[in-house]
Amino acid sequence: MKAKNKFAAMLTVVTVGLTTSLSSVQAFSESSNSENKRKPELVFPVISDVHIDDGSTADMNKFRTAMDQLNKAAPKQDAFVVVGDLTDYGYATEYDKFFSIYNEKKQADVQSMFTMGNHDYWNGLSVEKAQDRFLEKSGMDSLYYHKKVNGYDFITLSPENGNTHGLYSVNQINWLGEKLAAAEKENPDQPIFVFLHQHIKDTVYGSDLWGTQENKELLYDTLKKHPQSYYFFRPFSLST
């Protein structure tokens, strides 16, 4: 069986940006379960752009609702991925509010993964100090990293400054290539999941207006070499 056909049969994933209504999440889950009676091997929600803001409680209320609905739609999750812009400005108090909700609502055995977004840099700190704050608050070991979830490879990247378009360095992209090659060698027919905040410019709807530009050819070509990789970025989007 080809990897992408197998993928459809084994995976339950909910992708949502918190700028949209979540009313369809439960319907998605019920439809998926009714159409496919096979128990999924892997379940992981993917969200982004939570944008917790010190100046408003609306985003906190929306985040609580999102977590409640995702837990209802996917009551047994293996992983939970937040693909950047956890905060609106990357203030310590914003991170604290984000994680007070996340830690209260997350499922006990879930593997949590977070990436930075451009907004998480917009706090007046140097790039290095903004990254240090993200790592301290999120508990992640590094800015970009690789994890195994139920035997499947999860690879997360983060932009390396606060530029809206997103900067992914040659070093980071080369690291991605090494991880993709190793994962493919270990399991040639198995999907690989890659997460980053910004889409690549001129690749999907709307990306003619903005998206990762610097090193975009290297990033695109690195992903293209591994067609079994599934590339998740900010809200509403899944590219294969």
Side-chain angles (χ1 to χ4, degrees), residues 96-127:
D96 291 342
K97 290 175 181 177
F98 175 95
F99 283 105
S100 69
I101 296 169
Y102 181 78
N103 290 332
E104 175 191 352
K105 300 289 187 180
K106 72 175 182 177
Q107 297 180 14
D109 298 325
V110 77
Q111 284 205 51
S112 301
M113 285 170 258
F114 308 98
T115 80
M116 289 193 80
N118 50 298
H119 276 261
D120 300 316
Y121 283 97
W122 292 1
N123 44 37
L125 298 175
S126 68
V127 165

Short mmCIF file of all heavy atoms in Angstrom, two decimals, residues 96-127:
data_model
loop_
_atom_site.label_atom_id
_atom_site.label_comp_id
_atom_site.label_asym_id
_atom_site.label_seq_id
_atom_site.Cartn_x
_atom_site.Cartn_y
_atom_site.Cartn_z
N ASP A 96 2.52 32.93 30.36
CA ASP A 96 1.96 32.36 31.59
C ASP A 96 0.47 32.10 31.44
O ASP A 96 -0.05 31.06 31.88
CB ASP A 96 2.22 33.29 32.77
CG ASP A 96 3.70 33.35 33.16
OD1 ASP A 96 4.46 32.44 32.76
OD2 ASP A 96 4.08 34.31 33.85
N LYS A 97 -0.23 33.03 30.80
CA LYS A 97 -1.67 32.85 30.59
C LYS A 97 -1.93 31.70 29.62
O LYS A 97 -2.85 30.90 29.83
CB LYS A 97 -2.28 34.15 30.06
CG LYS A 97 -2.32 35.26 31.11
CD LYS A 97 -2.81 36.57 30.50
CE LYS A 97 -2.81 37.68 31.54
NZ LYS A 97 -3.22 39.00 30.96
N PHE A 98 -1.13 31.63 28.55
CA PHE A 98 -1.28 30.53 27.60
C PHE A 98 -1.13 29.19 28.30
O PHE A 98 -1.98 28.29 28.16
CB PHE A 98 -0.25 30.66 26.47
CG PHE A 98 -0.26 29.51 25.50
CD1 PHE A 98 -0.99 29.58 24.32
CD2 PHE A 98 0.46 28.34 25.76
CE1 PHE A 98 -1.03 28.51 23.43
CE2 PHE A 98 0.44 27.27 24.88
CZ PHE A 98 -0.31 27.36 23.71
N PHE A 99 -0.06 29.02 29.05
CA PHE A 99 0.22 27.71 29.63
C PHE A 99 -0.66 27.41 30.84
O PHE A 99 -0.86 26.23 31.16
CB PHE A 99 1.71 27.59 29.97
CG PHE A 99 2.53 27.32 28.73
CD1 PHE A 99 3.32 28.32 28.17
CD2 PHE A 99 2.49 26.09 28.10
CE1 PHE A 99 4.05 28.08 27.02
CE2 PHE A 99 3.21 25.83 26.94
CZ PHE A 99 3.99 26.84 26.40
N SER A 100 -1.21 28.42 31.47
CA SER A 100 -2.17 28.14 32.54
C SER A 100 -3.40 27.44 31.96
O SER A 100 -3.96 26.52 32.57
CB SER A 100 -2.57 29.42 33.27
OG SER A 100 -3.36 30.27 32.44
N ILE A 101 -3.84 27.86 30.77
CA ILE A 101 -4.98 27.23 30.11
C ILE A 101 -4.58 25.89 29.51
O ILE A 101 -5.25 24.87 29.70
CB ILE A 101 -5.55 28.16 29.03
CG1 ILE A 101 -6.10 29.44 29.67
CG2 ILE A 101 -6.64 27.44 28.22
CD1 ILE A 101 -6.44 30.53 28.68
N TYR A 102 -3.45 25.88 28.79
CA TYR A 102 -3.03 24.64 28.12
C TYR A 102 -2.80 23.52 29.13
O TYR A 102 -3.29 22.39 28.94
CB TYR A 102 -1.77 24.87 27.30
CG TYR A 102 -1.33 23.62 26.59
CD1 TYR A 102 -1.95 23.19 25.43
CD2 TYR A 102 -0.32 22.81 27.11
CE1 TYR A 102 -1.60 22.01 24.79
CE2 TYR A 102 0.05 21.63 26.49
CZ TYR A 102 -0.59 21.24 25.33
OH TYR A 102 -0.23 20.06 24.72
N ASN A 103 -2.09 23.80 30.20
CA ASN A 103 -1.78 22.76 31.17
C ASN A 103 -3.02 22.26 31.91
O ASN A 103 -3.08 21.10 32.32
CB ASN A 103 -0.73 23.26 32.17
CG ASN A 103 0.63 23.44 31.54
OD1 ASN A 103 0.97 22.77 30.57
ND2 ASN A 103 1.42 24.38 32.06
N GLU A 104 -4.01 23.13 32.05
CA GLU A 104 -5.26 22.72 32.68
C GLU A 104 -6.07 21.81 31.75
O GLU A 104 -6.68 20.84 32.20
CB GLU A 104 -6.10 23.96 33.02
CG GLU A 104 -7.48 23.63 33.57
CD GLU A 104 -8.39 24.85 33.65
OE1 GLU A 104 -7.91 25.98 33.43
OE2 GLU A 104 -9.60 24.65 33.92
N LYS A 105 -6.07 22.11 30.45
CA LYS A 105 -6.96 21.43 29.51
C LYS A 105 -6.32 20.25 28.78
O LYS A 105 -7.04 19.41 28.25
CB LYS A 105 -7.45 22.44 28.46
CG LYS A 105 -8.23 23.62 29.05
CD LYS A 105 -9.58 23.21 29.56
CE LYS A 105 -10.42 24.39 29.98
NZ LYS A 105 -11.76 23.98 30.49
N LYS A 106 -5.01 20.19 28.70
CA LYS A 106 -4.38 19.13 27.91
C LYS A 106 -4.66 17.76 28.51
O LYS A 106 -4.90 17.62 29.71
CB LYS A 106 -2.87 19.36 27.82
CG LYS A 106 -2.12 19.09 29.13
CD LYS A 106 -0.62 19.20 28.94
CE LYS A 106 0.10 18.87 30.26
NZ LYS A 106 1.56 18.91 30.10
N GLN A 107 -4.62 16.75 27.67
CA GLN A 107 -4.81 15.38 28.13
C GLN A 107 -3.54 14.86 28.80
O GLN A 107 -2.43 15.25 28.43
CB GLN A 107 -5.23 14.50 26.95
CG GLN A 107 -6.57 14.91 26.37
CD GLN A 107 -7.02 14.06 25.20
OE1 GLN A 107 -6.48 12.99 24.94
NE2 GLN A 107 -8.03 14.54 24.49
N ALA A 108 -3.72 13.98 29.76
CA ALA A 108 -2.63 13.62 30.66
C ALA A 108 -1.42 13.01 29.94
O ALA A 108 -0.28 13.33 30.28
CB ALA A 108 -3.15 12.65 31.71
N ASP A 109 -1.66 12.16 28.95
CA ASP A 109 -0.55 11.43 28.33
C ASP A 109 -0.11 11.99 27.00
O ASP A 109 0.67 11.37 26.27
CB ASP A 109 -0.95 9.95 28.15
CG ASP A 109 -1.23 9.27 29.48
OD1 ASP A 109 -0.54 9.60 30.46
OD2 ASP A 109 -2.14 8.42 29.53
N VAL A 110 -0.58 13.16 26.63
CA VAL A 110 -0.28 13.73 25.32
C VAL A 110 1.16 14.23 25.25
O VAL A 110 1.71 14.70 26.26
CB VAL A 110 -1.27 14.88 25.00
CG1 VAL A 110 -0.90 16.15 25.75
CG2 VAL A 110 -1.37 15.14 23.51
N GLN A 111 1.79 14.08 24.09
CA GLN A 111 3.10 14.70 23.86
C GLN A 111 2.87 16.10 23.31
O GLN A 111 2.26 16.27 22.24
CB GLN A 111 3.92 13.87 22.87
CG GLN A 111 4.51 12.61 23.46
CD GLN A 111 5.75 12.15 22.69
OE1 GLN A 111 6.67 12.93 22.45
NE2 GLN A 111 5.78 10.88 22.32
N SER A 112 3.34 17.10 24.02
CA SER A 112 3.13 18.49 23.64
C SER A 112 4.31 19.00 22.82
O SER A 112 5.47 18.77 23.17
CB SER A 112 2.97 19.36 24.89
OG SER A 112 1.89 18.93 25.67
N MET A 113 3.99 19.72 21.74
CA MET A 113 5.02 20.31 20.88
C MET A 113 4.62 21.73 20.52
O MET A 113 3.46 21.98 20.18
CB MET A 113 5.22 19.47 19.62
CG MET A 113 5.98 18.18 19.87
SD MET A 113 5.97 17.06 18.44
CE MET A 113 4.74 15.89 18.98
N PHE A 114 5.57 22.63 20.61
CA PHE A 114 5.33 24.05 20.32
C PHE A 114 6.44 24.58 19.41
O PHE A 114 7.60 24.19 19.54
CB PHE A 114 5.32 24.88 21.60
CG PHE A 114 4.40 24.34 22.66
CD1 PHE A 114 4.88 23.55 23.69
CD2 PHE A 114 3.04 24.61 22.62
CE1 PHE A 114 4.04 23.04 24.67
CE2 PHE A 114 2.18 24.10 23.58
CZ PHE A 114 2.68 23.31 24.61
N THR A 115 6.07 25.46 18.48
CA THR A 115 7.06 26.19 17.70
C THR A 115 6.87 27.68 17.96
O THR A 115 5.81 28.12 18.42
CB THR A 115 6.93 25.93 16.19
OG1 THR A 115 5.87 26.73 15.65
CG2 THR A 115 6.64 24.47 15.90
N MET A 116 7.88 28.46 17.64
CA MET A 116 7.75 29.90 17.71
C MET A 116 7.05 30.41 16.45
O MET A 116 7.09 29.79 15.39
CB MET A 116 9.11 30.59 17.83
CG MET A 116 9.80 30.40 19.16
SD MET A 116 11.22 31.53 19.38
CE MET A 116 10.39 33.06 19.86
N GLY A 117 6.41 31.58 16.58
CA GLY A 117 5.91 32.33 15.45
C GLY A 117 6.52 33.73 15.49
O GLY A 117 7.19 34.10 16.47
N ASN A 118 6.28 34.51 14.46
CA ASN A 118 6.88 35.85 14.44
C ASN A 118 6.41 36.72 15.60
O ASN A 118 7.18 37.50 16.18
CB ASN A 118 6.60 36.55 13.10
CG ASN A 118 5.15 36.53 12.70
OD1 ASN A 118 4.57 35.46 12.50
ND2 ASN A 118 4.52 37.69 12.59
N HIS A 119 5.14 36.59 16.00
CA HIS A 119 4.63 37.42 17.09
C HIS A 119 5.33 37.12 18.42
O HIS A 119 5.40 38.00 19.29
CB HIS A 119 3.12 37.22 17.26
CG HIS A 119 2.29 38.06 16.35
ND1 HIS A 119 1.70 39.24 16.74
CD2 HIS A 119 1.97 37.90 15.04
CE1 HIS A 119 1.04 39.77 15.73
NE2 HIS A 119 1.19 38.97 14.68
N ASP A 120 5.84 35.92 18.59
CA ASP A 120 6.50 35.56 19.84
C ASP A 120 7.84 36.27 20.02
O ASP A 120 8.46 36.16 21.09
CB ASP A 120 6.68 34.04 19.91
CG ASP A 120 5.34 33.31 19.86
OD1 ASP A 120 4.41 33.74 20.55
OD2 ASP A 120 5.24 32.31 19.11
N TYR A 121 8.26 36.99 18.99
CA TYR A 121 9.49 37.80 19.07
C TYR A 121 9.21 39.28 19.36
O TYR A 121 10.14 40.03 19.62
CB TYR A 121 10.24 37.73 17.73
CG TYR A 121 11.02 36.46 17.48
CD1 TYR A 121 10.48 35.43 16.72
CD2 TYR A 121 12.33 36.29 17.97
CE1 TYR A 121 11.20 34.27 16.45
CE2 TYR A 121 13.05 35.14 17.71
CZ TYR A 121 12.48 34.14 16.94
OH TYR A 121 13.21 33.00 16.69
N TRP A 122 7.98 39.72 19.29
CA TRP A 122 7.68 41.16 19.25
C TRP A 122 7.57 41.77 20.64
O TRP A 122 6.56 42.38 21.00
CB TRP A 122 6.39 41.39 18.46
CG TRP A 122 6.52 41.07 16.99
CD1 TRP A 122 7.61 40.62 16.33
CD2 TRP A 122 5.49 41.19 16.01
NE1 TRP A 122 7.35 40.43 15.00
CE2 TRP A 122 6.04 40.77 14.77
CE3 TRP A 122 4.16 41.60 16.04
CZ2 TRP A 122 5.31 40.77 13.58
CZ3 TRP A 122 3.42 41.57 14.85
CH2 TRP A 122 4.01 41.17 13.64
N ASN A 123 8.62 41.61 21.44
CA ASN A 123 8.57 42.04 22.84
C ASN A 123 9.69 42.99 23.23
O ASN A 123 9.85 43.32 24.41
CB ASN A 123 8.63 40.81 23.76
CG ASN A 123 9.68 39.81 23.29
OD1 ASN A 123 10.74 40.19 22.80
ND2 ASN A 123 9.37 38.53 23.42
N GLY A 124 10.46 43.44 22.25
CA GLY A 124 11.56 44.36 22.56
C GLY A 124 12.84 43.69 23.01
O GLY A 124 13.86 44.36 23.19
N LEU A 125 12.82 42.37 23.17
CA LEU A 125 14.02 41.65 23.54
C LEU A 125 14.87 41.39 22.31
O LEU A 125 14.41 41.47 21.18
CB LEU A 125 13.65 40.30 24.19
CG LEU A 125 12.85 40.33 25.48
CD1 LEU A 125 12.49 38.91 25.90
CD2 LEU A 125 13.63 41.03 26.59
N SER A 126 16.13 41.05 22.53
CA SER A 126 16.95 40.58 21.43
C SER A 126 16.39 39.25 20.94
O SER A 126 15.62 38.57 21.63
CB SER A 126 18.40 40.38 21.89
OG SER A 126 18.48 39.31 22.82
N VAL A 127 16.79 38.86 19.73
CA VAL A 127 16.35 37.58 19.17
C VAL A 127 16.69 36.44 20.13
O VAL A 127 15.87 35.56 20.41
CB VAL A 127 16.98 37.35 17.78
CG1 VAL A 127 16.84 35.90 17.35
CG2 VAL A 127 16.34 38.27 16.75
#
